[in-house]
Coordinates of all heavy atoms in Angstrom, one line a residue:
I158 N -10.3 9.4 -8.3 CA -9.2 8.5 -7.7 C -8.0 8.5 -8.7 O -6.9 8.6 -8.2 CB -9.8 7.1 -7.4 CG1 -10.8 7.2 -6.3 CG2 -8.6 6.1 -7.0 CD1 -11.6 5.9 -6.1
G159 N -8.3 8.4 -9.9 CA -7.2 8.4 -10.9 C -6.3 9.6 -10.8 O -5.0 9.5 -10.8
Q160 N -6.9 10.8 -10.6 CA -6.1 12.0 -10.5 C -5.4 12.0 -9.2 O -4.2 12.5 -9.1 CB -7.0 13.2 -10.6 CG -7.5 13.4 -12.0 CD -8.5 14.6 -12.2 OE1 -8.3 15.6 -11.6 NE2 -9.4 14.5 -13.1
A161 N -6.0 11.5 -8.1 CA -5.3 11.5 -6.8 C -4.1 10.6 -6.9 O -3.0 10.9 -6.3 CB -6.2 11.1 -5.7
I162 N -4.2 9.5 -7.6 CA -3.0 8.6 -7.8 C -1.9 9.3 -8.6 O -0.8 9.3 -8.3 CB -3.5 7.3 -8.5 CG1 -4.4 6.5 -7.6 CG2 -2.2 6.4 -8.8 CD1 -5.2 5.4 -8.3
A163 N -2.4 9.9 -9.7 CA -1.4 10.6 -10.6 C -0.7 11.7 -9.8 O 0.5 11.9 -10.0 CB -2.2 11.2 -11.8
R164 N -1.4 12.4 -9.0 CA -0.7 13.5 -8.2 C 0.3 12.9 -7.3 O 1.4 13.4 -7.2 CB -1.8 14.2 -7.4 CG -2.8 15.1 -8.1 CD -3.7 15.8 -7.1 NE -2.9 16.8 -6.4 CZ -2.5 18.0 -6.9 NH1 -2.9 18.3 -8.1 NH2 -1.8 18.8 -6.2
R165 N 0.0 11.8 -6.6 CA 0.9 11.2 -5.7 C 2.2 10.7 -6.5 O 3.3 10.8 -6.1 CB 0.3 10.0 -5.0 CG -0.6 10.4 -3.9 CD -1.6 9.2 -3.6 NE -2.4 9.5 -2.3 CZ -3.3 10.4 -2.2 NH1 -3.6 11.2 -3.2 NH2 -4.0 10.5 -1.0
C166 N 1.9 10.2 -7.7 CA 3.0 9.7 -8.6 C 3.9 10.8 -9.1 O 5.1 10.8 -9.0 CB 2.5 8.9 -9.8 SG 1.7 7.4 -9.3
H167 N 3.2 11.9 -9.5 CA 4.0 13.1 -10.1 C 4.7 13.8 -9.0 O 6.0 14.0 -9.1 CB 3.1 14.0 -10.8 CG 3.8 15.3 -11.2 ND1 4.6 15.3 -12.3 CD2 3.8 16.5 -10.7 CE1 5.1 16.5 -12.4 NE2 4.6 17.3 -11.5
F168 N 4.0 14.2 -7.9 CA 4.7 15.1 -6.9 C 5.5 14.3 -5.9 O 6.5 14.8 -5.4 CB 3.6 15.9 -6.2 CG 2.9 16.9 -7.1 CD1 1.6 16.8 -7.5 CD2 3.6 18.0 -7.5 CE1 1.0 17.7 -8.3 CE2 3.0 19.0 -8.4 CZ 1.7 18.8 -8.8
G169 N 5.1 13.0 -5.7 CA 5.8 12.2 -4.7 C 7.0 11.4 -5.3 O 8.0 11.2 -4.6
F170 N 6.8 11.0 -6.5 CA 7.8 10.0 -7.1 C 8.4 10.5 -8.4 O 9.0 9.7 -9.1 CB 7.1 8.7 -7.3 CG 6.8 8.0 -6.0 CD1 5.6 8.2 -5.3 CD2 7.7 7.1 -5.4 CE1 5.3 7.6 -4.1 CE2 7.4 6.4 -4.2 CZ 6.2 6.7 -3.6
E171 N 8.1 11.8 -8.7 CA 8.7 12.4 -10.0 C 8.4 11.5 -11.2 O 9.2 11.3 -12.1 CB 10.2 12.6 -9.8 CG 10.5 13.6 -8.7 CD 11.9 13.5 -8.2 OE1 12.8 13.1 -9.0 OE2 12.1 13.9 -7.0
M172 N 7.2 10.9 -11.2 CA 6.9 10.0 -12.3 C 6.2 10.8 -13.4 O 5.6 11.8 -13.2 CB 5.9 8.9 -11.8 CG 6.6 8.0 -10.8 SD 5.4 6.7 -10.1 CE 5.4 5.6 -11.5
E173 N 6.3 10.2 -14.6 CA 5.6 10.8 -15.7 C 4.2 10.1 -15.8 O 4.1 9.0 -15.3 CB 6.3 10.6 -17.0 CG 7.7 11.3 -17.0 CD 8.4 11.2 -18.3 OE1 9.0 10.1 -18.5 OE2 8.5 12.2 -19.0
V174 N 3.3 10.9 -16.3 CA 1.9 10.4 -16.2 C 1.3 10.3 -17.6 O 1.3 11.3 -18.4 CB 1.0 11.3 -15.3 CG1 -0.4 10.9 -15.3 CG2 1.6 11.4 -13.9
S175 N 0.7 9.2 -17.9 CA -0.2 9.0 -19.1 C -1.5 8.6 -18.7 O -1.7 8.0 -17.6 CB 0.4 8.0 -20.1 OG 1.7 8.4 -20.5
Y176 N -2.6 8.8 -19.5 CA -3.9 8.4 -19.0 C -4.8 8.1 -20.2 O -4.6 8.6 -21.3 CB -4.5 9.4 -18.1 CG -4.9 10.7 -18.7 CD1 -6.3 10.9 -19.1 CD2 -4.1 11.7 -18.8 CE1 -6.7 12.1 -19.6 CE2 -4.5 13.0 -19.4 CZ -5.8 13.1 -19.8 OH -6.2 14.3 -20.3
V177 N -5.9 7.4 -19.9 CA -7.1 7.2 -20.7 C -8.3 7.7 -20.0 O -8.4 7.3 -18.8 CB -7.2 5.7 -21.2 CG1 -8.6 5.5 -21.7 CG2 -6.2 5.4 -22.3
S178 N -9.1 8.5 -20.6 CA -10.4 8.9 -20.0 C -11.3 9.2 -21.2 O -10.8 9.5 -22.3 CB -10.3 10.1 -19.1 OG -10.3 9.7 -17.8
R179 N -12.6 9.3 -20.9 CA -13.5 9.6 -22.0 C -13.2 11.1 -22.4 O -13.4 11.4 -23.6 CB -14.9 9.4 -21.6 CG -15.3 8.0 -21.4 CD -16.7 7.8 -20.9 NE -16.8 8.4 -19.6 CZ -17.8 8.1 -18.7 NH1 -18.7 7.3 -19.1 NH2 -17.9 8.7 -17.6
S180 N -12.9 11.9 -21.5 CA -12.7 13.3 -21.8 C -11.2 13.8 -21.4 O -10.6 13.2 -20.6 CB -13.7 14.2 -21.0 OG -13.6 13.9 -19.7
E181 N -10.8 14.8 -22.1 CA -9.5 15.4 -21.9 C -9.5 16.1 -20.5 O -10.5 16.7 -20.2 CB -9.2 16.4 -23.0 CG -7.8 17.1 -22.9 CD -6.7 16.4 -23.6 OE1 -7.1 15.9 -24.7 OE2 -5.6 16.4 -23.2
K182 N -8.5 16.0 -19.7 CA -8.5 16.6 -18.3 C -7.6 17.8 -18.3 O -6.5 17.7 -18.9 CB -8.1 15.6 -17.3 CG -8.9 14.3 -17.2 CD -10.3 14.6 -16.8 CE -11.2 13.4 -16.9 NZ -12.6 13.7 -16.8
S183 N -8.0 18.8 -17.5 CA -7.2 19.9 -17.3 C -6.6 19.7 -15.9 O -7.3 19.7 -14.9 CB -8.1 21.2 -17.4 OG -7.5 22.2 -16.6
L184 N -5.3 19.6 -15.9 CA -4.6 19.1 -14.7 C -3.5 20.1 -14.3 O -3.0 20.8 -15.2 CB -4.0 17.7 -14.9 CG -5.0 16.6 -15.3 CD1 -4.2 15.5 -15.9 CD2 -5.8 16.2 -14.1
D185 N -3.1 20.1 -13.0 CA -2.0 21.0 -12.6 C -0.6 20.3 -12.6 O 0.3 20.7 -11.9 CB -2.3 21.7 -11.2 CG -2.3 20.6 -10.1 OD1 -2.3 19.4 -10.4 OD2 -2.4 21.0 -9.0
F186 N -0.5 19.2 -13.4 CA 0.8 18.6 -13.6 C 0.7 18.0 -15.1 O -0.4 17.8 -15.6 CB 1.0 17.5 -12.6 CG -0.2 16.5 -12.4 CD1 -0.3 15.4 -13.3 CD2 -1.2 16.7 -11.5 CE1 -1.3 14.5 -13.2 CE2 -2.2 15.9 -11.4 CZ -2.3 14.8 -12.2
P187 N 1.9 17.8 -15.6 CA 1.9 17.3 -17.0 C 1.4 15.9 -17.1 O 1.7 15.1 -16.3 CB 3.4 17.4 -17.4 CG 4.2 17.5 -16.2 CD 3.3 18.0 -15.1
A188 N 0.6 15.6 -18.2 CA 0.1 14.3 -18.4 C -0.3 14.1 -19.9 O -0.8 15.1 -20.5 CB -1.2 14.0 -17.5
T189 N 0.0 13.0 -20.4 CA -0.3 12.7 -21.8 C -1.5 11.8 -21.9 O -1.6 10.8 -21.3 CB 0.9 11.9 -22.4 OG1 2.1 12.6 -22.1 CG2 0.8 11.8 -23.9
R190 N -2.5 12.3 -22.8 CA -3.7 11.5 -22.9 C -3.5 10.5 -24.1 O -3.0 10.9 -25.2 CB -4.9 12.4 -23.2 CG -6.2 11.5 -23.3 CD -7.4 12.5 -23.3 NE -8.6 11.7 -23.6 CZ -9.6 12.1 -24.3 NH1 -9.5 13.3 -25.0 NH2 -10.7 11.4 -24.5
C191 N -3.8 9.2 -23.9 CA -3.7 8.2 -24.9 C -5.1 7.9 -25.4 O -6.1 8.0 -24.7 CB -3.1 6.9 -24.4 SG -1.4 7.1 -23.8
E192 N -5.2 7.4 -26.6 CA -6.5 7.1 -27.3 C -7.1 5.9 -26.8 O -8.3 5.8 -26.6 CB -6.3 7.1 -28.8 CG -6.1 8.4 -29.5 CD -7.3 9.4 -29.2 OE1 -8.5 9.0 -29.2 OE2 -7.0 10.6 -28.9
T193 N -6.3 4.8 -26.5 CA -6.8 3.5 -26.2 C -6.1 2.9 -25.0 O -4.9 3.2 -24.8 CB -6.7 2.5 -27.4 OG1 -5.3 2.4 -27.7 CG2 -7.4 3.1 -28.7
P194 N -6.7 1.9 -24.4 CA -6.0 1.2 -23.3 C -4.8 0.5 -23.8 O -3.7 0.4 -23.1 CB -7.1 0.2 -22.8 CG -8.4 0.8 -23.2 CD -8.2 1.6 -24.4
E195 N -4.8 0.0 -25.1 CA -3.6 -0.7 -25.7 C -2.5 0.3 -25.8 O -1.3 0.0 -25.4 CB -4.0 -1.2 -27.1 CG -4.8 -2.5 -27.1 CD -6.3 -2.2 -26.9 OE1 -6.7 -1.0 -26.7 OE2 -7.1 -3.2 -27.0

Side-chain angles (χ1 to χ4, degrees):
I158 295 171
Q160 289 180 35
I162 297 166
R164 292 183 66 78
R165 283 160 171 71
C166 290
H167 173 76
F168 293 108
F170 291 85
E171 295 159 28
M172 295 176 77
E173 296 183 287
V174 177
S175 299
Y176 71 96
V177 161
S178 258
R179 290 175 298 197
S180 55
E181 182 91 36
K182 302 294 172 195
S183 153
L184 304 160
D185 63 350
F186 51 87
T189 310
R190 185 170 174 220
C191 297
E192 285 302 317
T193 62
E195 284 83 354

